[in-house]
């Protein structure tokens, strides 16, 4: 009988998902909203097909654990370093300001205790990463000014959710024991447990994954990834901390690992399925009777949430992001809603007695309605501003060429020059470019070896016969895409010699981490030529100017190799830069003295 009930429930879940999610995506409302509607339909507030909401929530919360692990994997230090100003500037300002305003309103207008108001303010300060990134991807606006700022704010919100989740058990525990703060011994246990997980992860995780990788079994690799996530989460639970914090820490520890992408691909099916189940369980717990019996209160709270976050986001876009008036409104429409992390925070707050069930149900309904309004707000603002979404790109093309010796990733200025030289020497190559406009433009001028597609996709590289090629030219200008592609090629096609373009010294160091010995800094050689021409324009003889520039080139290349050993230490970088400047000045002074002696001898 129990098996029959399980199968019946499983069929209902799958049927609701298959119907609701495609319809939601068809109208560009997002998969998350589809899951929420599916849960609403089959839950107690809908047709009442599933009654055991607590049992479903207990299973589905593991989807949140896996989501936190994947977020941790994506938060690699180099990614945060490249975006540090936007992430820790705009993101921090948005979360703190929104949290303070909403927390103050919750405390003064609705009478929440200070601890509860802080948690509610933090939960409602978060926006939907799933909605935001999906909308930016669908509209092809991820690289726009407001898209980059929106991504940075969402990235910080993901980071901010972790301490917020970790603080709830401590605040809840202190409320249970009156107004006294948490015991120092408990705090010490928590901090000690986190330190133990971090140190143990640093020392053990890579050797373990290296050992498992030698077995060559996908199933064992997947099991190991799940073991790491569940094991770290269990340790966190044993010391009285949220399991989601453990999963996040496990992800962060492996963010720079060579196994990162393999882990992500192994976890993704489980994460997607269980996360969908989590959103269905949230939809099942939505109490529609609140909207029916108190429509003015619920709709008023939705309007208040959107207005409060808009009052923070719009001026923040103008001031911190230096966006135009129009882009600030588009940023506001994108991020004014509540987010999926708020469901996690509110559920945890209720279980720790920071909120009662009615307060939690009201907030969940408000967040759900705000998320439902997000796609409509984005479309409406774009229509008012007369901005049209770009048409979605087509799937990648399958290169149909004889075995190429070279594969070029990126067909911008760098890729085009490399291809012209290869074509002049009759060297077969395949060029891959992710911009439809660039592909169509270049083909007008005879780019017959150019194909559309993302060079960071392994199936496209296999179709381009990377397994038989000799050299991989990495000419993409986005450092993140560049590094992601380099990691993929290193892992799946280790025989390829990679010639990589680097944006700057930090980017070059990251490429050197991947075993690329001589990354080519994109402005270095052109800057040397400009320096030589400047010296000549100031009256220096051509041969002398060329010799000085060549000496500087060799000196800077030696400095790059020296600084690579300490590039993650700012103090050491400054020290080596100052030493190098002094060395260079002494070398030029010696050269000047030698030139003077030669001139005297000639006289």
């Amino acid at each position: 009988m129990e098996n029959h009930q399980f199968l019946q429930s499983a069929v209902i879940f799958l049927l609701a998902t298959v119907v609701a999610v495609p319809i939601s995506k068809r109208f560009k409302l997002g998969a998350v909203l589809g899951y929420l509607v599916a849960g609403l339909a089959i839950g107690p507030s809908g047709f009442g097909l599933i009654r055991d909401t607590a049992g479903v929530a207990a299973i589905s919360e593991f989807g949140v654990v896996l989501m936190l692990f994947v977020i941790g994997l994506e938060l690699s230090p180099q990614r945060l370093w490249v975006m540090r100003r936007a992430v820790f500037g705009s993101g921090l300002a948005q979360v703190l300001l929104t949290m303070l305003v909403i927390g103050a309103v919750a405390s003064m207008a609705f009478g929440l205790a200070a601890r509860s108001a802080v948690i509610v303010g933090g939960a409602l300060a978060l926006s939907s990463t799933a909605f935001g990134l999906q909308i930016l991807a669908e509209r092809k606006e991820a690289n726009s000014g407001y898209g980059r700022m929106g991504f940075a704010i969402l990235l910080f919100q993901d980071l901010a959710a972790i301490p917020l989740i970790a603080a709830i058990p401590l605040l809840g525990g202190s409320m249970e024991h009156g107004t006294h703060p948490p015991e120092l011994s408990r705090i010490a246990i928590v901090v000690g447990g986190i330190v133990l997980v971090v140190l143990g992860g640093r020392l053990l995780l890579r050797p373990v994954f290296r050992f498992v990788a030698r077995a060559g079994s996908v199933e064992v690799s997947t099991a190991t990834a799940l073991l790491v996530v569940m094991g770290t989460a269990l340790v966190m639970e044993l010391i009285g901390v949220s399991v989601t914090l453990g999963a996040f820490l496990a992800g962060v520890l492996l963010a720079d690992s060579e196994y990162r992408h393999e882990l992500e691909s192994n976890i993704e099916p489980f994460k997607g399925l269980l996360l969908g189940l989590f959103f269905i369980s949230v939809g099942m717990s939505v109490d529609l009777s609140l909207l029916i019996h108190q429509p003015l209160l619920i709709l008023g709270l939705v309007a208040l949430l959107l207005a409060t976050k808009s009052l923070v986001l719009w001026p923040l876009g103008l001031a911190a992001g230096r966006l135009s008036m129009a882009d600030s409104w588009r940023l506001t429409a994108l991020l004014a809603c509540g987010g999926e992390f708020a469901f996690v925070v509110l559920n945890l707050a209720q279980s720790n007695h920071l909120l009662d069930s009615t307060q939690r149900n009201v907030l969940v309904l408000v967040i759900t309605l705000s998320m439902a309004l997000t796609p409509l707000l984005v479309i409406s603002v774009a229509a008012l501003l007369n901005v049209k979404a770009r048409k979605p790109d087509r799937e990648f093309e399958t290169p149909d060429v004889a075995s190429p010796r070279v594969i070029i990733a990126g067909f911008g200025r760098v890729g085009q020059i490399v291809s012209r030289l290869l074509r002049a020497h009759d060297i077969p190559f395949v060029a891959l470019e992710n911009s439809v406009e660039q592909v169509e433009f270049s083909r007008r001028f005879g780019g017959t070896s150019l194909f559309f597609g993302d060079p960071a996709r392994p199936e496209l590289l296999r179709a381009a016969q990377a397994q038989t090629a000799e050299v991989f030219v990495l000419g993409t200008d986005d450092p993140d895409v560049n590094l992601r592609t380099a990691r993929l090629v290193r892992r799946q096609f280790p025989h390829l010699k990679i010639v990589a373009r680097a944006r700057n010294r930090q980017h070059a160091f990251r490429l050197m981490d991947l075993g690329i010995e001589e990354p080519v800094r994109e402005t270095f050689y052109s800057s040397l030529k400009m320096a030589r021409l400047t010296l000549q324009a100031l009256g220096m003889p051509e041969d002398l100017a060329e010799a000085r520039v060549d000496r500087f080139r060799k000196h800077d290349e030696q400095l790059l190799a020296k600084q690579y050993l300490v590039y993650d230490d700012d103090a050491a970088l400054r020290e080596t830069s100052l030493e190098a400047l002094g060395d260079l000045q002494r070398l030029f002074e010696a050269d000047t003295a030698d030139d003077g002696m030669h001139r005297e001898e000639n006289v």
Side-chain angles (χ1 to χ4, degrees):
M1 187 64 183
E2 290 183 1
N3 287 339
H4 170 72
Q5 287 289 93
F6 172 77
L7 288 173
Q8 182 179 343
S9 300
V11 168
I12 291 171
F13 278 121
L14 293 172
L15 181 61
T17 302
V18 167
V19 172
V21 174
I23 292 175
S24 179
K25 295 190 75 172
R26 173 69 179 81
F27 289 99
K28 297 183 178 180
L29 299 176
V32 173
L33 188 60
Y35 286 122
L36 292 172
V37 171
L40 188 62
I42 64 178
S45 293
F47 297 109
L49 300 176
I50 303 291
R51 293 287 178 181
D52 183 18
T53 57
V56 173
I59 299 172
S60 65
E61 283 178 3
F62 190 58
V64 180
V65 171
L66 294 179
M67 178 175 73
L68 265 294
F69 176 70
V70 173
I71 287 174
L73 281 178
E74 293 172 350
L75 291 178
S76 58
Q78 66 262 31
R79 191 177 195 183
L80 288 177
W81 177 257
V82 170
M83 302 182 65
R84 60 192 182 280
R85 288 194 180 92
V87 172
F88 296 103
S90 303
L92 177 61
Q94 185 273 328
V95 170
L96 283 182
L97 289 173
T98 309
M99 185 175 178
L100 288 172
V101 173
I102 294 179
V105 171
S107 178
M108 292 186 289
F110 296 95
L112 286 182
R115 294 181 179 86
S116 301
V118 167
I119 296 302
V120 169
L124 297 182
L126 307 178
S127 306
S128 175
T129 302
F131 269 47
L133 296 186
Q134 179 186 357
I135 289 170
L136 288 174
E138 287 176 350
R139 297 181 66 83
K140 301 301 171 187
E141 293 172 344
N143 288 323
S144 64
Y146 94 94
R148 288 193 296 271
M149 185 173 180
F151 175 76
I153 291 175
L154 288 170
L155 189 57
F156 184 83
Q157 288 179 357
D158 289 344
L159 281 172
I162 308 308
L164 187 63
I165 290 170
I168 291 174
L170 298 176
L171 293 175
S174 65
M175 285 192 71
E176 288 176 7
H177 299 93
T179 57
H180 298 291
E183 296 178 3
L184 291 176
S185 60
R186 188 182 177 195
I187 295 175
I189 291 173
V190 170
V191 173
I194 293 174
V195 171
L196 181 65
V197 167
V198 171
L199 293 178
R202 286 291 183 192
L203 296 173
L204 297 176
L205 286 183
R206 290 198 182 196
V208 167
F209 279 105
R210 195 176 298 118
F211 174 76
V212 170
R214 287 173 184 158
S217 172
V218 176
E219 295 81 4
V220 176
S221 179
T222 303
T224 307
L226 291 172
L227 175 63
V228 168
V229 178
M230 296 174 71
T232 314
L234 178 61
V235 171
M236 290 292 104
E237 187 176 40
L238 290 175
I239 64 174
V241 180
S242 169
V243 295
T244 51
L245 176 60
F248 176 77
L249 283 176
V252 170
L253 291 172
L254 291 166
D256 276 337
S257 167
E258 59 270 32
Y259 307 104
R260 171 191 159 193
H261 294 286
E262 184 179 1
L263 284 169
E264 198 169 349
S265 63
N266 290 338
I267 290 289
E268 191 65 33
F270 297 94
K271 187 202 79 171
L273 182 63
L274 290 171
L275 201 54
L277 188 60
F278 170 76
F279 289 126
I280 289 176
S281 72
V282 171
M284 290 171 61
S285 67
V286 169
D287 189 357
L288 271 185
S289 63
L290 290 171
L291 181 60
I292 296 170
H293 294 110
Q294 298 176 292
L296 294 180
L297 173 65
I298 299 301
L299 295 178
L301 288 174
V302 173
L304 181 61
L305 173 63
L306 295 176
T308 303
K309 295 185 79 170
S310 298
L311 288 174
V312 173
L313 286 163
W314 186 69
L316 189 65
L318 291 174
R322 298 180 180 177
L323 301 178
S324 65
M325 193 80 72
D327 276 356
S328 293
W329 279 118
R330 296 167 77 191
L331 176 74
T332 302
L334 186 72
L335 302 181
C337 67
E340 55 272 0
F341 264 125
F343 297 133
V344 182
V345 173
L346 294 175
N347 288 346
L348 197 58
Q350 182 188 353
S351 64
N352 283 270
H353 310 292
L354 290 167
L355 296 173
D356 59 40
S357 59
T358 302
Q359 292 168 334
R360 180 260 178 201
N361 290 342
V362 167
L363 291 171
V364 165
L365 181 56
V366 168
I367 293 167
T368 303
L369 292 175
S370 73
M371 290 173 71
L373 290 173
T374 299
L376 301 177
L377 284 174
V378 171
I379 293 170
S380 300
V381 169
L384 288 172
L385 298 172
N386 196 27
V387 177
K388 296 181 180 179
R390 291 174 56 185
K391 295 181 180 179
D393 292 343
R394 59 182 184 267
E395 284 296 309
F396 71 82
E397 301 169 336
T398 302
D400 183 18
V401 294
S403 297
R405 296 184 63 189
V406 179
I407 294 176
I408 302 174
F411 206 68
R413 294 164 298 166
V414 173
Q416 289 173 29
I417 292 172
V418 173
S419 71
R420 286 163 60 189
L421 279 167
L422 293 175
R423 189 176 286 117
H425 288 84
D426 293 324
I427 297 173
F429 68 90
V430 167
L432 307 174
E433 171 58 53
N434 201 28
S435 167
V436 174
E437 292 81 1
Q438 184 65 38
V439 170
E440 292 176 349
F441 176 79
S442 298
R443 281 182 174 173
R444 293 185 217 159
F445 300 93
T448 55
S449 297
L450 174 62
F451 299 90
F452 169 75
D454 182 359
R457 296 178 65 171
E459 61 269 31
L460 176 58
L461 294 180
R462 282 191 288 271
Q465 302 180 55
Q467 62 274 15
T468 60
E470 301 171 38
V471 180
F472 189 88
V473 177
L474 191 47
T476 51
D477 60 354
D478 186 317
D480 287 337
V481 175
N482 189 294
L483 288 166
R484 187 169 68 248
T485 306
R487 288 194 195 96
L488 173 70
V489 173
R490 267 278 173 262
R491 189 176 71 251
Q492 299 208 3
F493 308 100
H495 70 283
L496 283 174
K497 166 71 175 177
I498 299 179
V499 178
R501 168 187 184 180
R503 171 69 63 84
N504 50 37
R505 295 179 91 86
Q506 283 292 330
H507 186 197
F509 294 147
R510 297 297 180 184
L511 289 168
M512 292 164 75
D513 277 342
L514 297 174
I516 300 170
E517 296 176 358
E518 296 183 21
V520 181
R521 288 171 281 167
E522 58 186 29
T523 58
F524 183 60
Y525 294 99
S526 55
S527 300
L528 291 178
K529 183 170 183 180
M530 291 180 70
R532 178 173 62 79
L533 293 174
T534 301
L535 293 175
Q536 290 178 220
L538 292 171
M540 185 177 287
E542 182 178 349
D543 57 344
L544 182 57
E546 189 169 347
R548 293 293 174 83
V549 168
D550 189 56
R551 178 178 284 281
F552 176 85
R553 177 186 60 79
K554 292 177 180 176
H555 183 268
D556 191 75
E557 287 171 350
Q558 292 170 358
L559 176 63
L560 185 73
K562 184 178 180 181
Q563 288 185 328
Y564 170 63
L565 302 175
V566 295
Y567 76 86
D568 54 351
D569 185 339
D570 287 341
L573 277 177
R574 285 194 297 271
E575 184 179 347
T576 53
S577 297
L578 291 173
E579 288 177 357
L581 179 60
D583 291 342
L584 189 63
Q585 288 174 338
R586 284 189 290 273
L587 285 171
F588 283 155
E589 287 170 1
D591 286 346
T592 302
D594 289 343
D595 292 339
M597 290 178 60
H598 287 310
R599 280 196 296 270
E600 289 177 4
E601 290 174 358
N602 291 334
V603 171

